[in-house]
Amino acid sequence: MTQIDASAPPRKVQLEDIPVKPGMTKEELAVVFDVTDHPINERSAIKLDLYFNALAYANNQGLSLEKTSCLLAIFKATHDKSMAERMTIEKSFGFFKLLALQSSVHRPPYSLGILNFAEMKDMTEYALSTYFRYYKLYQYAFTDLVRMDVRPAAPVLETPGASAFASLGVAYPKEEWAEKQKELAERAAEAKAREDEEEAAIEEAEREAMLKAEYEAAIPSEVTTKVEAALAASMVAMKEQLEERFAAQEQALLAKIAALGG
């Protein structure tokens, strides 16, 4: 893949440089992705099939080695992050779309225009019809099984001694006892309400932090820098044209995602 200056700011998501060569076999690809145990490891076999099918797609499309490497890196990054973080299909596709856009607009060092718009669109259609079509099966295959053993135990009954009961000499009258019980119940209710408020505040803070993180992650890094001011007018026009064309495709893609998620 195209190399960039190591001193430059990193891209939004740094992709791996996948070494590929013409006529690559399945076993050679297994070595590249470190899944040589695929004959005895079902998860390794599933990942190898995913990458080998993506390689076959790239060859059928006539993509160059650089573009093939980029395509494989996008699929690997999407699969690894989606399974590790147990993403929903919507979040997984959003991450895939971010990588696709990042690899189709040439704005070094923030993004590299390795794929053109048509290739990015075809790759997205391929991902929808393969990986995301069977996304729930991938989730099932890569979710660890948790087994819990429950054993019944005989209850232990202890008889309290005489000292456990208050002397009748210090017993409360019925009305005073009822008043104290009411006071205790009110204190317990107040404590429960405070706990609920604290939990709600924590949950709201976590939700806001998550929404903020997702929002910031969805914003191209060049928007948050001063590079935009220095870009040539031709580059700005290219970005606007690409975003307009991609927006027209996004509604159709999201509709397909919704249908697959159902």
Side-chain angles (χ1 to χ4, degrees):
M1 296 174 64
T2 303
Q3 301 294 324
I4 61 176
D5 185 2
S7 63
R11 297 163 61 187
K12 193 71 175 179
V13 179
Q14 195 71 21
L15 293 175
E16 294 184 30
D17 188 1
I18 307 297
V20 294
K21 63 180 182 180
M24 203 168 192
T25 65
K26 196 170 187 178
E27 291 303 322
E28 290 174 332
L29 197 65
V31 175
V32 170
F33 286 101
D34 194 22
V35 289
T36 53
D37 61 341
H38 64 91
I40 59 174
N41 188 321
E42 293 182 352
R43 291 185 177 179
S44 294
I46 293 173
K47 289 197 288 186
L48 180 58
D49 285 341
L50 171 65
Y51 302 141
F52 188 70
N53 290 335
L55 176 63
Y57 163 79
N59 291 336
N60 292 336
Q61 294 294 111
L63 299 182
S64 65
L65 295 180
E66 180 186 34
K67 294 182 178 182
T68 300
S69 175
C70 177
L71 182 145
L72 291 174
I74 290 175
F75 272 88
K76 183 179 187 301
T78 300
H79 176 73
D80 289 348
K81 186 176 180 65
S82 298
M83 297 301 106
E85 300 182 8
R86 298 183 180 181
M87 290 182 172
T88 63
I89 189 172
E90 291 81 8
K91 289 185 178 181
S92 178
F93 178 70
F95 182 69
F96 176 88
K97 184 175 63 175
L98 173 64
L99 298 182
L101 283 174
Q102 174 183 281
S103 302
S104 60
V105 178
H106 195 65
R107 296 281 183 80
Y110 305 101
S111 61
L112 299 176
I114 299 175
L115 303 172
N116 58 40
F117 179 81
E119 291 166 342
M120 178 191 66
K121 178 178 176 295
D122 291 341
M123 179 186 67
T124 304
E125 292 286 353
Y126 169 76
L128 284 173
S129 62
T130 55
Y131 184 73
F132 291 107
R133 181 179 183 181
Y134 302 105
Y135 186 77
K136 290 184 178 180
L137 293 178
Y138 282 103
Q139 284 183 312
Y140 177 81
F142 287 87
T143 298
D144 293 331
L145 176 64
V146 178
R147 187 184 302 277
M148 179 181 295
D149 295 329
V150 180
R151 298 179 180 179
V156 178
L157 301 178
E158 296 182 358
T159 303
S163 60
F165 299 97
S167 173
L168 293 177
V170 295
Y172 296 105
K174 183 178 180 180
E175 294 77 8
E176 187 176 350
W177 173 258
E179 186 65 27
K180 287 185 176 295
Q181 292 300 312
K182 180 180 179 182
E183 181 180 349
L184 291 175
E186 291 176 351
R187 290 179 181 178
E190 291 176 357
K192 182 65 169 58
R194 286 194 298 269
E195 291 179 0
D196 293 341
E197 290 178 358
E198 292 175 357
E199 291 179 358
I202 294 174
E203 291 178 357
E204 180 64 19
E206 292 177 349
R207 188 182 70 85
E208 291 180 356
M210 181 181 66
L211 291 175
K212 181 180 179 181
E214 292 179 356
Y215 174 77
E216 292 177 351
I219 300 177
S221 57
E222 65 269 18
V223 176
T224 60
T225 65
K226 297 181 179 180
V227 177
E228 185 68 25
L231 292 176
S234 61
M235 296 298 291
V236 175
M238 183 190 69
K239 176 189 174 184
E240 293 176 351
Q241 181 181 8
L242 177 61
E243 290 180 345
E244 290 174 359
R245 295 178 63 185
F246 189 84
Q249 300 294 327
E250 185 174 8
Q251 295 299 324
L253 295 179
L254 291 178
K256 291 184 179 181
I257 284 294
L260 293 173

